[in-house]
Amino acid sequence: MPRDAPSVPIDFATEPGRYRHWRLECDGAIATLTLDVDPAGGLFPGTELKLNSYDLGVDIELADAVTRLRFEHPEVRAVVVRSGKEKVFCAGANIGALAKASHAHKVNFCKFTNETRLAIEDASAHSGQRYLAALGGTAAGGGYELALACDWIMLVDDRRSAVSLPELALLGVLPGTGGLTRLTDKRRVRRDRADVFCATEEGVRGRRALDWRLVDEVVPPSAWEAAVAGRAAALGATSDRPHPLPNPPPLAGEGRVGAGAQGINLPALERRIAGDAILYPHVRVALDRARRRATISVLGPPLVPADLAGIHAEGAAFWPLALAREVDDAILHLRFNEPGLGTIVFRSQGDPEAVLASDALLDAHAGDWLVRETRLFLKRVLKRIDVTSRSLFALIEPGSCFAGSLAELVFAADRALMFDGTRAGDNRGGATLALSPLNFGAYPMGNGISRLATRFLGEPDSLERAEARIGAALGAAEAEALGLVTASHDEIDWDDEIRLMLEERASFSPDALTGLEANLRFAGPETMETRIFGRLSAWQNWIFQRPNAVGDEGALKRYGTGQRPRFDPERV
Amino acid sequence: MPRDAPSVPIDFATEPGRYRHWRLECDGAIATLTLDVDPAGGLFPGTELKLNSYDLGVDIELADAVTRLRFEHPEVRAVVVRSGKEKVFCAGANIGALAKASHAHKVNFCKFTNETRLAIEDASAHSGQRYLAALGGTAAGGGYELALACDWIMLVDDRRSAVSLPELALLGVLPGTGGLTRLTDKRRVRRDRADVFCATEEGVRGRRALDWRLVDEVVPPSAWEAAVAGRAAALGATSDRPHPLPNPPPLAGEGRVGAGAQGINLPALERRIAGDAILYPHVRVALDRARRRATISVLGPPLVPADLAGIHAEGAAFWPLALAREVDDAILHLRFNEPGLGTIVFRSQGDPEAVLASDALLDAHAGDWLVRETRLFLKRVLKRIDVTSRSLFALIEPGSCFAGSLAELVFAADRALMFDGTRAGDNRGGATLALSPLNFGAYPMGNGISRLATRFLGEPDSLERAEARIGAALGAAEAEALGLVTASHDEIDWDDEIRLMLEERASFSPDALTGLEANLRFAGPETMETRIFGRLSAWQNWIFQRPNAVGDEGALKRYGTGQRPRFDPERV
């Protein structure tokens, strides 16, 4: 548990009217996200969020804004991220909060902020919403890392404002939100310059920042506002999002322009926490603290809209979107508020045919802006599951509906077990697993390829064999023969096998499991994203655990005390 | 320092006549490496190396054998790795030794064993020496990981012998020598099967081991010896190494066959440790413990052979090879015996033209087996430098000879500083840096591309500009303009700038520097090798640092005591 934990569970639900740290303003095709942190609004008691420094609470608002911009504002083509304070863009993560946090909270905090920055890049790459970092003052540490996630970085050239990654010099840790990877891989900064930059507490400004590719543009103060507006408009012009109505006029029929240009509202999730259960309309989470596991049961679609108009009419109630939002919330809740539950078991209940019908809609209307956003949101939620440091098991049982998009939970799991045959007295028949076209590319993992392609890297024939069975209700024997599940057991063995598997898992070292899963889940290609979660984060986790950072004389502990840290000089 | 350190510095020099744990036998094109560990021959006092388990001392012999096979036995086309003990191939790393070792020793041990296994794969991929793992008994943990580094894994099907990775279940850590990465990336084992395999202490045997791609062949005991011999011959047939003389008869002239088929002897290195200096014929290491740094000065070639025959006549005395062996030994010595020296400064002294002449020979005779081995050895030594967790600086000064192959030390450095102009009273003229064709592909990093290509990922024009200046003696201004050095300073500033840079470096957290450097050095493509050092090792380092592994109730500490470990269940 956090050493100095927030007094209430961390809640990821918010909306612009409740933001304390960000302002979201939309003006036609251009939105502005203004960071203006309330110093007294920290999540940890006693921390003061000075100089636009942030903690998890600030980032929860940013993540919410990034999602809402996509669903609620189809007309927004460019987002300007700027500061509401003079002379400073953002001082990065708040060190007081970081120093007070438990190791697990630090790691989860970095993971969540990384996911939010990747969501910004995803909005630009796949959803046509471009991000402009308008640095009207110094961007330090996590502040500069936020800028690095944007498409274009403008820095005011006032002889004072700089970009910097002072973590090494000030804190004895690494930039924790992808900074090093974006320097080397996204901006391809020369390695020795990156080394100098990371060792320079005060950072780099003006011409040198441009020459070293740390920023894309430097602008004198007198030309600043005009340049920001011009650059935002230019970025927006590269977008494929719907134009704001009525200019240009809507086209007839479906598509990215026209019917879709009316955003949908994302209402607050209905969630009820009752003892050891967390209940949403489509998701039930059962917590078993004694056995250290959580079971997430997802419910299939109650109804499937008839057509695209039906999807838009349902809006946030459209089952795939509603489900994705609920699962996302549940996973984040488990990550932050239930760190002792080491295993997550996925179950499902419903009509597989309805899931396939829903998938058919998502497939047929892939070009519609709202369907696109829904698919992309599902993709991001599934990726969040992939990098969740809990053992993941899926149980495919009579009455379950792991089909198409829902079957991605099966393929995200470390193991999937399938019930073979029927249960005595259960008239729902045998368990089935079904594939849809969406299992073959709609939801790539962080490595850029689908879960099935990753699974079958060593046997491409298996991928083709699976594809040939799209739509079929696969029984246990066939699913196992196709390599889609780990094993199947009949009624005689099922309960014991599952119990033994879960007990065994709970007996292993939680740390070794985290490392094992982080390695086994991501075979195949590496991307900036997998490098951030796999390489950079692993090193940061190690550093976060070392006495040189978190010991009584370590740099994180001594930051701000006026005392210099004392380091064990031994290199590892 | 190791908690229970070996009583004398670890020495990496050995030769087959001194092996205690391996036997190397050559029979024409087939060599056999037999692991027969002397239980009393452990490096740490009081450890017993049971069941062919190994410690660093065992692996030093293996690394030596792998190198000697390449230089001393050009006729060897396949190497059979097997056990000298009944029923067990190898039980993996010795846990007693691991539990006694300091964190730094554990990490360095894993790094070295990883390098040795990658050297086996390098021998097969680039040098035509194929490796066959003949598992006549169980291969557990590091024993199976050694097999995974071979081209082909045969397992005896005696209903008892298995392959296993029991680290998770037994020790609460990960397989530390690339096992997970080779499962997912080399053998492309399906992720859920890999998960089951890693959770199964007793491992997998027989048909299932084959079906899961954990081994390549299972053979009944009665057919074992014949099958091993046949497979070794078949593997050897795919090799491009010289055939043993005289069949087929030597061809005239140079080439892989003929003159080269006579191996060269690798004599013991001449090394003298004198106080704070380590002296080799071509390398001088100065240790400054107060300032926590080591300076490695390399001397250019005293003479350059006239032709290929001259190279063969010189054998191990050929300067590039001699230098590479000395640098390799110096780096390993610093890694293991001087962990408090956080910075390595590279300097050089000699005639840059002679280095370029040596490079011209290495370039012109690339097809000769000995030249090939020499280049490949240089490549591996440079890679060892890349993954050495010390800050690396190169100083290019008047009288230095950083040219061609030696300039790779400059490009391997985190920063390179160049002296601009001449020193008063120094008649050697200004410092120069020179490129040769070998800087553009002969020595790829672990990421598969050259150091210059990695350096210039963001500016391909710079790579071309540099290539156009091959052979030129570049002064400081031009070297800096070409992006080949980090900065240059004239006589007025040089001493102060260098001193300040080194002092600043020594003030930073050693752990944060290790993480920073591990991330900044490897931009661009990822390979199995970079994943092993960057992703897998980082996770393992973290786990090695966690109380669940190394705390008093941790799994490593309690292994073998009969007491079960107690884990903090919190997931991070």
Side-chain angles (χ1 to χ4, degrees), chain A residues 188-200:
Chain A
R188 301 190 161 186
V189 175
R190 224 175 67 200
R191 54 173 282 197
D192 54 347
R193 287 176 167 170
D195 184 275
V196 171
F197 175 58
C198 292
T200 306

Side-chain angles (χ1 to χ4, degrees), chain A residues 165-355:
Chain A
L165 291 176
E167 286 85 349
L168 170 71
L170 275 185
L171 308 169
V173 299
L174 300 186
T177 321
L180 299 186
T181 308
R182 287 198 176 80
L183 279 188
T184 57
D185 283 55
K186 184 177 185 180
R187 304 191 67 89
R188 301 190 161 186
V189 175
R190 224 175 67 200
R191 54 173 282 197
D192 54 347
R193 287 176 167 170
D195 184 275
V196 171
F197 175 58
C198 292
T200 306
E201 190 180 318
E202 66 275 19
V204 171
R205 56 188 166 76
R207 180 77 210 178
R208 171 174 276 195
L210 189 62
D211 286 346
W212 287 17
R213 286 196 293 277
L214 301 170
V215 304
D216 296 295
E217 189 175 3
V218 289
V219 179
S222 60
W224 179 249
E225 290 301 334
V228 169
R231 182 60 64 186
L235 281 174
T238 67
S239 166
D240 65 350
R241 287 180 80 80
H243 281 273
L245 295 175
N247 182 16
L251 300 178
E254 72 173 68
R256 289 180 191 166
V257 180
Q262 182 67 40
I264 66 160
N265 180 44
L266 296 181
L269 289 180
E270 294 172 46
R271 185 181 75 176
R272 197 157 57 86
I273 298 185
D276 288 338
I278 307 166
L279 305 173
Y280 307 82
H282 311 88
V283 173
R284 275 110 204 246
V285 186
L287 312 178
D288 185 342
R289 292 199 179 82
R291 294 182 181 79
R292 297 207 293 271
R293 62 180 182 250
T295 300
I296 297 183
S297 300
V298 298
L299 305 183
L303 286 170
V304 179
D307 53 19
L308 181 62
I311 293 175
H312 281 262
E314 288 197 355
F318 181 43
W319 174 80
L321 177 54
L323 179 81
R325 292 182 71 210
E326 293 170 16
V327 170
D328 202 41
D329 189 72
I331 290 286
L332 289 171
H333 178 82
L334 291 174
R335 276 197 197 166
F336 279 89
N337 299 318
E338 298 288 352
L341 306 182
T343 298
I344 295 175
V345 179
F346 290 111
R347 302 176 69 176
S348 67
Q349 192 182 322
D351 176 8
E353 288 300 325
V355 179

Side-chain angles (χ1 to χ4, degrees), chain A residues 1 195 486 522 531 570, chain B residues 1 192 415 522 531 570:
Chain A
M1 297 299 292
D195 184 275
T486 312
F522 296 94
R531 286 161 78 104
E570 184 177 86
Chain B
M1 295 298 294
D192 55 344
R415 299 188 205 173
F522 295 93
R531 285 161 78 104
E570 184 177 83

Side-chain angles (χ1 to χ4, degrees), chain A residues 1 192 195 339 389 391 415 455 486 505 511 518 522 524 526 531 535 542 545-546 548 570-571, chain B residues 1 103 192 195 339 389 391 415 455 486 505 511 518 522 524 526 531 535 545-546 548 570-572:
Chain A
M1 297 299 292
D192 54 347
D195 184 275
S389 58
S391 296
R415 298 188 205 172
R455 182 178 187 84
T486 312
R505 202 71 169 190
D511 304 320
F522 296 94
E526 291 258 2
R531 286 161 78 104
R535 171 188 275 263
W542 175 72
Q545 185 66 39
R546 296 277 291 160
N548 282 336
E570 184 177 86
R571 272 293 192 119
Chain B
M1 295 298 294
H103 183 61
D192 55 344
D195 185 275
S389 60
S391 296
R415 299 188 205 173
R455 182 178 188 83
T486 312
R505 202 73 169 187
D511 304 319
F522 295 93
E526 292 259 1
R531 285 161 78 104
R535 172 188 276 263
Q545 185 67 41
R546 296 277 292 161
N548 282 337
E570 184 177 83
R571 272 292 193 117
V572 174

Side-chain angles (χ1 to χ4, degrees), chain B residues 24-42:
Chain B
L24 172 56
E25 292 148 313
C26 296
D27 180 11
I30 308 294
T32 301
L33 260 173
T34 304
L35 180 61
D36 197 358
V37 174
D38 173 1

Side-chain angles (χ1 to χ4, degrees), chain B residues 314-337:
Chain B
E314 288 197 356
F318 180 43
W319 174 80
L321 177 54
L323 180 80
R325 293 182 70 211
E326 294 170 16
V327 170
D328 202 41
D329 188 73
I331 290 287
L332 289 171
H333 178 82
L334 291 174
R335 275 195 197 168
F336 280 89
N337 299 318

